[in-house]
């Protein structure tokens, strides 16, 4: 940390961060760099990958083992501790058992050291065919077409790429309100017991299994809310996370620094 502080002071012209939350953490919490040196440059992704995905929905749902009428909750990412996937699996089991929940299916795309323990947990909860572990896949963009929503139960996040990709694909999101997740979800528009409906998704405020399950059920029961959040999320991702915007942001930073480099020479 000492070395980071020294280098930020004597050898750095700009420090790039992905979000306001990351700026507050690095500069505010850890005291690295002067605020004037920071620039927020959000991620940029190839949005063309998410066009014309409707035709791939049937194949994706076959891969999940989803039946007609199932509402598929998806997760994509590493199966590691920071993602707290046991919270998601336990919340899914609780939501599945609720009297007022529609038929649910959980598809977990990704791999990691925790996969055996997660599969054991799913067996203990007697989830059977209601949960599918697909491991690492090279066709994640196609699989997104088969999801009906994305769930993210992380302990912390910088800027979750999986969430941006889901929003670009038009998927509503239920996520724990941590780190950069809150920036993506936007301001709360409705407050409920344990969760908030936000501008672009549902934010689960704590880490209680029951609260995450409530968020999943609330989203699953409202086709109107799913449609609203799908549209707002896609619009937000398209406007803020394109490759063109990323290139323009970085180019502007270099152009801002070039006169200083010329003066120094």
């Amino acid at each position: 940390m000492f070395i980071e502080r020294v280098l930020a002071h004597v050898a750095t012209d700009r420090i790039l961060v992905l979000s306001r939350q990351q700026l507050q953490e690095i500069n505010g919490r850890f005291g690295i760099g002067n605020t004037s040196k920071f620039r927020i440059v959000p991620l940029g992704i190839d949005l063309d990958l998410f066009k014309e995905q409707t035709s791939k929905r049937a194949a994706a749902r076959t891969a999940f083992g989803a039946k007609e009428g199932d509402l598929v909750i998806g997760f994509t990412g590493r199966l590691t501790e920071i993602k707290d996937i046991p919270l998601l699996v336990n919340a899914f089991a609780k939501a599945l058992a609720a009297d007022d929940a529609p038929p649910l299916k959980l598809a977990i795309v990704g791999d990691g050291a925790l996969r055996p323990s997660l599969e054991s947990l799913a067996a203990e909860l007697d989830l059977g065919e209601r949960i599918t572990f697909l491991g690492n896949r090279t066709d994640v963009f196609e699989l997104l077409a088969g999801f009906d929503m994305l769930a993210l139960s992380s302990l912390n996040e910088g800027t979750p790429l999986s969430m941006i990709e889901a929003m670009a694909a038009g998927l509503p999101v239920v996520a724990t309100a941590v780190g950069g997740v809150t920036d993506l979800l936007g301001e709360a528009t409705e407050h409920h017991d344990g969760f908030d409906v936000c501008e672009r998704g549902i934010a689960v405020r704590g880490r209680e299994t029951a609260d995450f399950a409530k968020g999943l059920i609330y989203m699953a029961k409202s086709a109107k809310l799913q449609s609203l959040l799908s549209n707002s999320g896609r619009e937000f991702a398209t406007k803020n996370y394109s490759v063109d915007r990323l290139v323009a942001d970085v180019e502007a930073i270099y152009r801002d620094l070039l006169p200083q480099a010329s003066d120094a020479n």
Side-chain angles (χ1 to χ4, degrees), residues 41 54 67 83 90 104 106 134 142 161-163 167 185 191 200 234 248 252:
V41 181
T54 305
K67 300 176 182 178
K83 300 296 183 180
N90 280 300
L104 299 174
L106 177 59
L134 288 97
E142 287 82 0
L161 180 59
S162 64
M163 189 169 161
M167 294 169 78
L185 292 178
H191 297 287
R200 295 177 292 273
R234 182 187 282 114

Side-chain angles (χ1 to χ4, degrees), residues 8 12-17 26 32-34 37-40:
T12 306
D13 294 304
R14 294 290 182 269
I15 302 173
L16 308 187
V17 292
I26 294 174
I32 295 173
N34 297 322
K37 288 188 176 183
F38 280 85
R39 296 293 183 272
I40 298 174

Side-chain angles (χ1 to χ4, degrees), residues 115-249:
R115 181 170 176 176
S117 63
L118 291 170
E119 291 178 331
S120 295
L121 175 61
E124 291 172 13
L125 295 171
D126 196 25
L127 294 178
E129 295 181 354
R130 291 286 96 191
I131 186 170
T132 301
F133 293 86
L134 288 97
N136 285 330
R137 299 284 295 243
T138 59
D139 57 346
V140 173
F141 299 113
E142 287 82 0
L143 293 176
L144 287 175
F147 292 169
D148 294 295
M149 71 171 82
L150 183 88
L152 194 65
S153 51
S154 300
L155 292 164
N156 193 23
E157 288 282 354
T159 298
L161 180 59
S162 64
M163 189 169 161
I164 296 171
E165 290 174 342
M167 294 169 78
L171 292 174
V173 178
V174 177
T176 44
V178 295
V181 169
T182 56
D183 292 332
L184 295 179
L185 292 178
E187 297 297 325
T189 58
E190 299 176 20
H191 297 287
H192 297 267
D193 182 21
F195 68 93
D196 297 323
V197 176
C198 301
E199 294 171 297
R200 295 177 292 273
I202 286 180
V204 181
R205 293 193 294 271
R207 308 213 60 80
E208 295 295 327
T209 298
D211 292 339
F212 205 100
K214 290 174 191 175
L216 292 175
I217 294 171
Y218 192 84
M219 181 77 82
K221 289 174 61 179
S222 177
K224 182 179 179 181
L225 179 62
Q226 292 170 39
S227 177
L228 176 66
L229 297 179
S230 170
N231 292 333
S232 61
R234 182 187 282 114
E235 181 180 351
F236 177 78
T238 301
K239 179 180 179 181
N240 295 284
Y241 292 96
S242 70
V243 170
D244 290 342
R245 194 236 76 240
L246 172 62
V247 172
D249 285 356

